[in-house]
Amino acid sequence: MEINKNKILKICNVVWSAGERIKSIYSKKFKIFKKKDFTPVTTADLESERIIIEGLEKIFNKPKIFSEETNFKNQKSIKNFWLVDPLDGTKEFIKKNGEFTVNVAFIKNKKPFFGIIYAPILKKTYVGIKNKTYKVINKKSFREITPKKKINKTIIISRSHSSKKDIHKLKKKYNTNKVLFLGSSLKFCYIAEGIAQVYPRIGTTYEWDTAAGHAIINGVGGKVESFKGKEMSYGKKNFKNNSFVARFF
């Protein structure tokens, strides 16, 4: 599947449209439901997913799409497919702290080939494709990101999925006292920009949580891998990830 500049712009417009719908719901009272795994989901998640899936189906011919909220069945011997997290950071959305994103990624041969992360409230868009990553300014110009390596590392940790015990271990492991807390896949973007250098995630996540961020990290020459140093792959059973670390150092 070819993803050229024209198609990247079309995908961006789809994601921005989903973000606008999310913002319209965010500004009002909204209902919160519980999924089978007891995690929260809102009308914004479902509306965003609908817009993205419909948008991708208009741009590409019969794309294979797997999305967090509804469409993750028929997973058999897949290598090339789309992963969608229509609202990453639902807990942050509910808290109304603005730290949530829309994530869309294309997986090619079980590796992230393209990814876009959009934070509607923070008005930040990041795009990673092949060996380049861009920050989109004012939804118009694409500025390539090239972070500088730093001797003193800053760890970035999930705002909603971290314990004091884990934080203490991670500070010791990476020999630093500099810690940032942030929600959603924005953590990958901050690594790509050089604001932080390492994002360790302990526990289970899903491929739609990481794929777009992985593409963005790859674009600046960083790594997303297991704690044993094996690069994360995609198309795994039930789309489950084990613990991992995203880093640029």
Side-chain angles (χ1 to χ4, degrees):
M1 181 181 291
E2 183 185 6
I3 303 179
N4 55 31
K5 185 177 180 180
N6 181 51
K7 287 183 178 177
I8 290 173
L9 288 172
K10 287 182 178 180
I11 298 166
C12 284
N13 281 317
V14 168
V15 170
W16 291 332
S17 294
E20 289 304 309
R21 182 66 183 122
I22 289 170
K23 284 199 293 184
S24 70
I25 296 169
Y26 183 76
S27 63
K28 304 172 185 176
K29 288 185 178 180
F30 50 83
K31 290 184 178 180
I32 303 169
F33 308 95
K34 292 288 185 181
K35 295 190 283 189
K36 289 181 180 180
D37 62 359
F38 301 105
T39 57
V41 64
T42 70
T43 307
D45 296 75
L46 302 176
E47 284 289 296
S48 175
E49 180 179 74
R50 177 186 60 78
I51 291 168
I52 293 167
I53 290 175
E54 289 178 359
L56 290 175
E57 288 176 341
K58 288 179 181 178
I59 299 168
F60 299 97
N61 181 31
K62 296 181 180 179
K64 188 171 287 186
I65 304 169
F66 296 93
S67 181
E68 178 179 11
E69 304 308 337
T70 59
N71 189 15
F72 50 91
K73 297 179 180 179
N74 301 320
Q75 182 196 0
K76 292 182 180 179
S77 302
I78 54 171
K79 290 184 179 180
N80 305 317
F81 55 97
W82 291 88
L83 285 169
V84 174
D85 192 340
L87 204 172
D88 184 40
T90 301
K91 290 180 180 178
E92 315 309 327
F93 178 85
I94 292 168
K95 293 174 186 175
K96 293 204 170 187
N97 65 16
E99 294 177 1
F100 55 86
T101 60
V102 180
N103 304 349
V104 175
F106 180 66
I107 305 302
K108 185 175 182 180
N109 294 323
K110 298 196 172 187
K111 293 184 178 181
F113 178 79
F114 166 84
I116 176 171
I117 292 176
Y118 173 48
I121 300 301
L122 302 179
K123 298 180 180 179
K124 293 184 177 183
T125 306
Y126 301 84
V127 174
I129 183 165
K130 295 181 181 178
N131 298 316
K132 292 185 182 294
T133 289
Y134 303 90
K135 188 172 184 179
V136 186
I137 310 301
N138 297 324
K139 296 184 178 180
K140 292 180 180 178
S141 60
F142 284 64
R143 187 184 72 198
E144 187 174 352
I145 297 174
T146 52
K148 294 180 180 179
K149 291 190 177 182
K150 296 181 180 179
I151 296 173
N152 297 319
K153 301 180 186 70
T154 297
I155 303 173
I156 193 163
I157 296 176
S158 173
R159 190 181 295 283
S160 299
H161 302 93
S162 55
S163 67
K164 289 183 178 180
K165 185 177 179 180
D166 288 339
I167 294 167
H168 177 74
K169 285 182 179 179
L170 292 168
K171 282 182 177 179
K172 188 175 181 180
K173 178 180 176 66
Y174 294 105
N175 191 30
T176 183
N177 285 315
K178 295 181 179 180
V179 180
L180 295 177
F181 295 90
L182 193 66
S184 75
S185 58
L186 280 167
K187 294 181 284 293
F188 292 98
C189 303
Y190 277 37
I191 296 288
E193 284 200 90
I195 298 169
Q197 286 68 51
V198 57
Y199 161 38
R201 180 66 160 86
I202 298 170
T204 300
T205 57
Y206 289 87
E207 293 181 6
W208 39 74
D209 296 318
T210 61
H214 193 162
I216 286 165
I217 293 286
N218 280 355
V220 298
K223 300 285 186 183
V224 180
E225 56 195 14
S226 71
F227 285 175
K228 293 182 179 180
K230 184 179 180 180
E231 185 179 8
M232 188 182 294
S233 64
Y234 292 81
K236 300 184 295 295
K237 185 178 180 181
N238 298 322
F239 298 102
K240 283 188 177 182
N241 297 323
N242 294 320
S243 299
F244 68 86
V245 59
R247 62 181 179 85
F248 182 80
F249 61 81

